[in-house]
Amino acid sequence: MRRRGMRRVRRRMISPPAQLGLGIGWRPQLALAIERCPSIDFVEIVAENFNCRAEVPDALRQLQDRGIPIIPHGISLNLGGADRVDARAVERLARLAELLKAPLVSEHICYVRAGEIENVLAAKKLLPVPLALENIARLFDWPAGELSEAEFLSTALEETDTLLLLDIANIWANAHNLRADGLEMVRALPLRRLAYVHVAGGAEHDGIYHDTHASPVPAGVLELLEELCSVTHPPGIMLERDDQFPSERELHSELNAIAGAASRGNVRRQEITRTRSPTP
Amino acid sequence: MNPARASLARQQRELALALSGRGDPPAGFDRARVAAASQSLARKRERLVEKQLPRLVECLGPRFHRLFSEYRRETVLASGAASLEDARMFCRWLAGHCELREDAKRELLRIRCRWSMQLLIAAVRRACFACRLSFTKIGGE
């Protein structure tokens, strides 16, 4: 049978990485602990801290030799700004991705209605690998915002065909600070585009939770991570720690807690799938 | 810039000013929450600069927090500037704005000398690279 003409034109979605595993944000203060930790499958680096042109920095070469994927994470491309995107900054990120043979790169996406779609598309054109965008923490809402955070993210990621870097600690913080349901927010996100997950700890000041990346991951964030894993399988999950660096033992127990929450969620998801489709 | 972008740009400018502690948020924003976010950003910036300049901060002691708040209100950090740039600007501001104790003065001088040295080395490197490049081109032709 001739199928020509019956074929429907469908836009193909960019596919998330197959499997990244358990990761951590690489920081100079954590370098030794990371080097000695066998359970780390991938690392993420702050792209702005590596100004390299031709050679992989020594600190990262060892990780590369171990076959650990390195993901450059930009923090200042300003994709959500009203200004046009800075092509030079994007090109720097692109060079770094090529040099490190990164599977993807990531950046933040602010929550400011439309406008950034053009910036994301412009940035994507200059990048040699897929781009994942991260939801941010916010203490206040943009007044008269037309879209909810999840609606905004879904629209932005669909229209630009980019991946999702889900910061579960930010979702938990936003839910806590803006009195919303974290799980509901997670479920409304475009999870089929999920590339990896950020997990971090923060602290409460005057009734407001701040995602400082300077404290152990709170139980609430781990619970939300478990819930996330009970509805989808994130290709990668990683810990972010930027200050008040813990001892190696504490760091390992943080990573274990994350892996534990993820595996509890996985088990629940598999149970749900089994009960829904019982084998005859 | 189309009108939607222009209006968004204005709101963002005002919000950025409010977040850096130099103005009120645009109409409609939750003032208390914007103030809390501003405080949080200030703490973060202060902490990052402290990491860049640990010895200077030690010399300044409890004055550091007050001086940094003053500096933050008086200066504008370029968009996308990293903490190193913030630290540089703070040192420049500090040198021109207040009387410092001898040890702080010495440390400030040491830091600024080191940075000037780094800039000089980078410039020499660039010049060498440019020279080599032009020679290779001449040789190739």
Side-chain angles (χ1 to χ4, degrees), chain A residues 177-193:
Chain A
N177 291 333
L178 303 167
R179 315 260 178 278
D181 182 348
L183 183 58
E184 208 173 283
M185 282 161 90
V186 165
R187 280 176 186 275
L189 289 169
L191 294 178
R192 66 198 183 104
R193 293 184 172 271

Side-chain angles (χ1 to χ4, degrees), chain B residues 15-24 38-39 42 69 72-74:
Chain B
L15 187 61
L17 276 174
L19 287 173
S20 59
R22 286 178 289 126
D24 290 326
S38 165
Q39 276 305 311
S69 306
R72 203 173 67 92
R73 273 193 302 275
E74 284 181 20

Side-chain angles (χ1 to χ4, degrees), chain A residues 202-261:
Chain A
E204 196 157 328
H205 291 287
D206 304 322
I208 299 174
Y209 181 82
H210 296 265
D211 186 42
T212 56
H213 303 180
S215 303
V217 180
V221 173
L222 289 173
E223 278 160 26
L224 194 56
L225 176 67
E226 184 185 328
E227 294 295 338
L228 169 73
C229 294
S230 77
V231 291
T232 189
H233 172 69
I237 304 174
M238 57 157 278
L239 173 68
E240 281 184 298
R241 187 73 182 239
D242 289 319
D243 209 346
Q244 314 285 347
F245 293 98
S247 70
E248 224 170 299
R249 250 179 65 197
E250 280 170 87
L251 196 71
H252 290 176
S253 77
E254 286 271 285
L255 286 167
N256 285 341
I258 290 171

Side-chain angles (χ1 to χ4, degrees), chain B residues 9-138:
Chain B
R10 185 185 47 76
Q11 274 189 314
Q12 281 187 342
R13 259 197 313 276
E14 285 176 26
L15 187 61
L17 276 174
L19 287 173
S20 59
R22 286 178 289 126
D24 290 326
F29 280 85
D30 183 333
R31 295 174 77 100
R33 282 298 175 93
V34 173
S38 165
Q39 276 305 311
S40 166
L41 287 172
R43 267 199 301 273
K44 203 169 176 177
R45 250 179 87 179
E46 196 176 306
R47 182 81 184 108
L48 286 171
V49 167
E50 197 180 327
K51 274 193 196 166
Q52 296 280 356
L53 311 164
R55 277 166 67 177
L56 181 67
V57 171
E58 203 178 307
C59 293
L60 294 172
R63 272 181 84 194
F64 170 66
H65 175 70
R66 194 172 48 77
L67 287 170
F68 194 82
S69 306
E70 219 172 293
Y71 150 77
R72 203 173 67 92
R73 273 193 302 275
E74 284 181 20
T75 48
V76 182
L77 199 60
S79 141
S83 60
L84 183 62
E85 186 53 30
D86 206 3
R88 275 199 188 119
M89 277 180 64
F90 176 63
C91 285
R92 216 173 297 146
W93 177 89
L94 203 59
H97 278 76
C98 42
E99 275 301 305
L100 296 173
R101 259 177 21 203
E102 272 309 309
D103 56 344
K105 256 191 218 164
R106 259 201 315 277
E107 177 59 17
L108 194 59
L109 192 66
R110 197 187 65 81
I111 292 166
R112 300 188 82 191
C113 282
R114 197 183 66 203
W115 283 338
S116 304
M117 218 41 205
Q118 281 169 355
L119 282 178
L120 191 69
I121 291 169
V124 169
R125 269 197 184 151
R126 266 199 304 277
C128 288
F129 183 70
C131 271
R132 219 166 52 207
L133 205 67
S134 60
F135 275 127
T136 331
K137 268 187 189 160
I138 292 164

